[in-house]
Amino acid sequence: MIENNTQETQKRTQVLDEFGRAYGTGRRKEHAVARVWIKPGAGRISVNCIDYTSYFARSVLQMVVRSPLVLTSRENQYDVYCTVRGGGLSGQAGAIKHGISKALVAYEPDLHAVLKVAGMLTRDPRVVERKKYGQRKARRRFQFSKR
């Protein structure tokens, strides 16, 4: 019981760089890595110096990128600048979501509980299964022939 009280009384602190930005690193699948900076602004999101609506043409991926901001009702309060490398577009969108969540917690530590319950601070550990020898793909076998 005493241990729980000490954990609850530990306060997270705001972590900002010299420009007043909060930073978060997001990862997804095996290779997609996003570096995300947020600062107070009008709600602009840029990915590799391109507007996110142009970078992610599919509306589903745009929704994934915005989801931490929508969940915490901060859509038009922060400008998000991120660079992302590796993986495909889906993995990159997930990495940016993870990075935005971590940067939001760095800027506003009180949001940790909300984002943690929603599962946005947890890295998605799923990776592609490797191809096995004697098979066409990871699980697909070669076609069986009796003769």
Side-chain angles (χ1 to χ4, degrees), residues 143-147:
Q143 184 171 349
F144 175 75
S145 175
K146 200 169 197 177
R147 293 171 209 214

Side-chain angles (χ1 to χ4, degrees), residues 2 4-5 8 12 15 21 24 35 37 51 59 75 81 86 88 93-95 109 111 113 117 122 124 131-132 136 140:
I2 295 172
N4 290 339
N5 289 339
E8 290 175 9
R12 299 179 189 282
V15 181
R21 302 175 303 184
R35 299 183 304 163
W37 292 269
D51 185 52
S59 60
E75 300 105 315
Y81 172 76
L111 297 177
V117 168
T122 305
D124 191 351
K131 180 194 175 299
K132 280 75 169 188
R136 185 180 297 175
R140 173 84 169 103

Side-chain angles (χ1 to χ4, degrees), residues 28-138:
R28 171 80 167 84
K29 290 196 174 177
E30 197 159 346
H31 297 291
V33 178
R35 299 183 304 163
V36 180
W37 292 269
I38 64 168
K39 64 179 182 177
R44 289 185 295 273
I45 301 174
S46 68
V47 179
N48 294 344
C49 299
I50 302 171
D51 185 52
Y52 83 106
T53 56
S54 301
Y55 193 85
F56 296 111
R58 293 173 48 203
S59 60
V60 173
L61 297 179
Q62 294 173 14
M63 186 178 65
V64 167
V65 169
R66 281 193 323 266
S67 59
L69 298 168
V70 171
L71 178 71
T72 57
S73 302
R74 307 286 195 278
E75 300 105 315
N76 299 321
Q77 293 182 17
Y78 293 110
D79 285 342
V80 177
Y81 172 76
C82 61
T83 59
V84 64
R85 296 180 66 178
L89 287 179
S90 176
Q92 289 183 352
I96 292 171
K97 177 180 89 165
H98 188 221
I100 289 174
S101 301
K102 289 171 76 172
L104 278 172
V105 170
Y107 202 91
E108 291 186 54
D110 296 337
L111 297 177
H112 183 270
V114 176
L115 292 168
K116 184 72 175 175
V117 168
M120 294 194 184
L121 294 176
T122 305
R123 182 193 181 276
D124 191 351
R126 295 177 293 173
V127 294
V128 177
E129 188 175 344
R130 79 173 190 89
K131 180 194 175 299
K132 280 75 169 188
Y133 63 92
Q135 297 182 15
R136 185 180 297 175
K137 292 170 50 174

